[in-house]
Amino acid sequence: MPPAEHSEWNWIDDVRRRAGSGPRVAIGIGDDTALLKTSTATLVTTDMLMDGVDFVVGETPADLIGRKCLAVNLSDIAAMAGRPTGAVVSLALPRRGGRALAEGLYDGLLRLAQESGCPIVGGDTNSWDGPLVVNVAVLGEPTGRGAVTRAGARPGDRVFVTGPVGGSLPSLRHCTFRPRLSEAQALHQCVELHAMLDLSDGLSSDLFHIVEASQVGIELDAGAIPIHDDVAPGQPHADRLNHALSDGEDFELLFCVSEEDAQTLLSQPPGGVELYSIGRCVPEPGVWLLGADSRRPLGRGGWEHRFT
């Protein structure tokens, strides 16, 4: 029989005390369900992250694992220009060392929850003989003009990203990035966002989501793509560009706006928002990479979960 302080109920009580509450939380952790006071429209997103795929237990600090598991969901809310209202967290913990691992995970989870105004309002905890699996679901509400989708890009639109890309995995930036919630809302207030998503699988892959949803094409200016300093500067430029296109897990925002609104953003960027204009939408479906004197089709790169 484990000591009382190691019991599931003791653990839930500890998490409930640490999670606190928020203005939209009518009922939080401890009941059969949480009760959130939200607008009539609700954004819902969920991600499952696994040891050996999205992080490596023993190599990645536990608090950064917990942080990432919440951050990737908050990034999805940002991609819709939304505001998070609450999160539920489910853990499948390895039996050996599970309690210490859970405590580390929640250090990172609760810290980011407080920073982002997204209270953790419930979830589930289990243990098994397998590796760590974490599932987080975040609820949110639209802001401003409503939810921004991937489907509104138009020929003539300018394409932007909110920061440099590439090299996120070796640097652990995939665990420490800041979800672009405030940037998305600032942009949403300033201009009409025609389409937007967050860069999770890689620029060369995620572009196709907008292309297919909006039924447009995109021409990328190879010289305008911002390459992150985490990509080794000693590599040939072509290799560094390939990292920027394909590495993934940058979690910057990729968005499309009219030419007029693009000029507004470039001349008067909203406070604190970093902006890079990297291309244009065109009528012809597909994605192309423009060099100084070339135009070539760009295939899907980046990450893809494969199964049979």
Side-chain angles (χ1 to χ4, degrees):
M1 193 75 167
E5 65 270 17
H6 290 173
S7 74
E8 177 184 1
W9 314 122
N10 176 266
W11 166 245
I12 292 171
D13 285 341
D14 183 52
V15 170
R16 178 171 54 226
R17 286 192 297 270
R18 297 172 65 195
S21 188
R24 295 178 182 83
V25 182
I27 301 172
I29 295 172
D31 220 305
D32 289 295
T33 74
L35 177 59
L36 298 180
K37 297 175 288 186
T38 67
S39 65
T40 54
T42 301
L43 301 171
V44 183
T45 183
T46 186
D47 275 288
M48 179 182 293
L49 282 76
M50 306 174 69
D51 184 14
V53 177
D54 303 287
F55 48 78
V56 178
V57 172
E59 296 180 14
T60 311
D63 64 323
L64 293 187
I65 294 173
R67 187 187 190 284
K68 178 178 182 177
C69 292
L70 177 58
V72 297
N73 286 276
L74 293 175
S75 186
D76 285 335
I77 297 292
M80 306 291 282
R83 179 185 299 112
T85 55
V88 293
V89 179
S90 293
L91 306 178
L93 296 164
R95 295 189 198 280
R96 185 179 296 273
R99 177 62 185 258
L101 179 57
E103 290 174 349
L105 292 171
Y106 264 88
D107 284 342
L109 279 162
L110 293 172
R111 192 177 304 123
L112 181 58
Q114 184 174 28
E115 292 170 6
S116 58
C118 180
I120 295 174
V121 298
D124 190 28
T125 303
N126 212 324
S127 61
W128 70 322
D129 293 323
L132 174 67
V133 180
V134 184
N135 190 82
V136 177
V138 172
L139 304 180
E141 58 189 10
T143 62
R145 299 176 175 91
V148 182
T149 72
R150 303 172 176 184
R154 308 164 190 171
D157 282 358
R158 292 275 286 274
V159 182
F160 286 82
V161 291
T162 56
V165 292
S168 68
L169 297 178
S171 66
L172 275 185
R173 196 174 81 251
H174 66 105
C175 292
T176 61
F177 72 92
R178 183 173 56 81
R180 302 304 188 195
L181 290 161
S182 60
E183 288 87 345
Q185 291 173 33
L187 290 166
H188 203 32
Q189 292 173 3
C190 182
V191 298
E192 182 183 353
L193 298 167
H194 288 172
M196 186 161 65
L197 52 69
D198 66 326
L199 293 173
S200 55
D201 296 326
L203 179 60
S204 62
S205 177
D206 289 325
L207 281 165
F208 280 91
H209 297 315
I210 287 180
V211 164
E212 291 164 358
S214 298
Q215 295 297 293
V216 297
I218 291 178
E219 291 182 337
L220 281 183
D221 180 353
I225 296 171
I227 303 175
H228 202 283
D229 290 343
D230 288 339
V231 178
Q235 298 182 58
H237 179 73
D239 291 343
R240 299 189 76 239
L241 179 60
N242 187 59
H243 279 289
L245 291 169
S246 302
D247 280 357
E249 301 226 340
D250 296 298
F251 297 103
E252 297 293 346
L253 298 174
L254 174 77
F255 65 92
C256 304
V257 295
S258 69
E259 178 63 31
E260 180 180 358
D261 281 344
Q263 294 302 324
T264 297
L265 291 176
L266 291 170
S267 62
Q268 297 178 318
V273 180
E274 192 174 358
L275 293 173
Y276 298 86
S277 174
I278 62 170
R280 293 182 182 274
C281 294
V282 296
E284 182 184 0
V287 179
W288 291 270
L289 190 64
L290 304 182
D293 53 5
S294 64
R295 180 181 188 266
R296 65 177 178 86
L298 186 66
R300 289 181 184 266
W303 173 259
E304 180 182 359
H305 291 281
R306 295 184 181 273
F307 45 86
T308 58

